[in-house]
Amino acid sequence: PFRLASVSKPITAAVVTRLAAAGRLATSDNVFCTGANPPCHLSVTPAGPPDPRLGSITIAHLVAHAGGWDRDFSGDPMFNLLSVALDLGVPSPVSKSDIVRWLAGRTLDFTPGTRTAYSNVGYLVLGQVIEQVTGRPYEAEIHQSVFAPLNVPVSEVYTGRSLPVERDPREPVYEDPY
């Protein structure tokens, strides 16, 4: 078992590639729907004033780590989820949609497509796009698109959980020194 983290980015990219090949999305599509920027995929109510460049982030930008977020500059929200929960005034652990709503209300670190910066949160957003396009949870779609053709049982594809009481007994313990 492994967490949906860096090792899952190629899996996410593979599903995006399959959806593009099937004509269900285009990598040039905008991710966030901000008004007059179709085609777009995510209608999100930002938790703060959105950056004017938010609507120009494309699926291709996210796949290439060029969406506008730089964890070396503004931190990685995926490793600071308690702050996201406090900012939003919601209980921890926060949901994926809460993270995306929080993210949509933040200033980007650079103009999308102008450079790259490794982005965990960009791939979380891609997971949300996959769910919107397919109408299925991310885990169900990656199983159908990637693992089922390899005869991997559905019981072997599951999401890791933050709270110990919710973890699968087979899941390893993760420790963060921070």
Side-chain angles (χ1 to χ4, degrees), residues 78-113:
M78 300 307 296
F79 291 98
N80 201 4
L81 297 176
L82 184 56
S83 291
V84 173
L86 292 171
D87 282 354
L88 294 175
V90 300
S92 179
V94 293
S95 69
K96 296 177 288 186
S97 59
D98 284 335
I99 297 166
V100 174
R101 189 168 59 86
W102 178 87
L103 188 67
R106 311 284 296 182
T107 302
L108 295 174
D109 298 317
F110 60 91
T111 299

Side-chain angles (χ1 to χ4, degrees), residues 158-170:
Y158 61 89
T159 303
R161 301 288 182 215
S162 295
L163 300 177
V165 69
E166 296 175 347
R167 289 188 190 136
D168 184 291
R170 300 172 296 166

Side-chain angles (χ1 to χ4, degrees), residues 101-172:
R101 189 168 59 86
W102 178 87
L103 188 67
R106 311 284 296 182
T107 302
L108 295 174
D109 298 317
F110 60 91
T111 299
T114 61
R115 67 182 183 89
T116 60
Y118 189 83
S119 179
N120 290 311
V121 76
Y123 269 77
L124 174 116
V125 173
L126 281 172
Q128 294 288 276
V129 170
I130 289 168
E131 289 184 353
Q132 186 275 331
V133 169
T134 66
R136 292 194 284 203
Y138 174 82
E139 295 83 0
E141 185 58 36
I142 65 169
H143 185 266
Q144 179 69 31
S145 294
V146 178
F147 293 115
L150 300 171
N151 296 316
V152 175
V154 71
S155 63
E156 294 302 308
V157 180
Y158 61 89
T159 303
R161 301 288 182 215
S162 295
L163 300 177
V165 69
E166 296 175 347
R167 289 188 190 136
D168 184 291
R170 300 172 296 166
E171 185 176 352

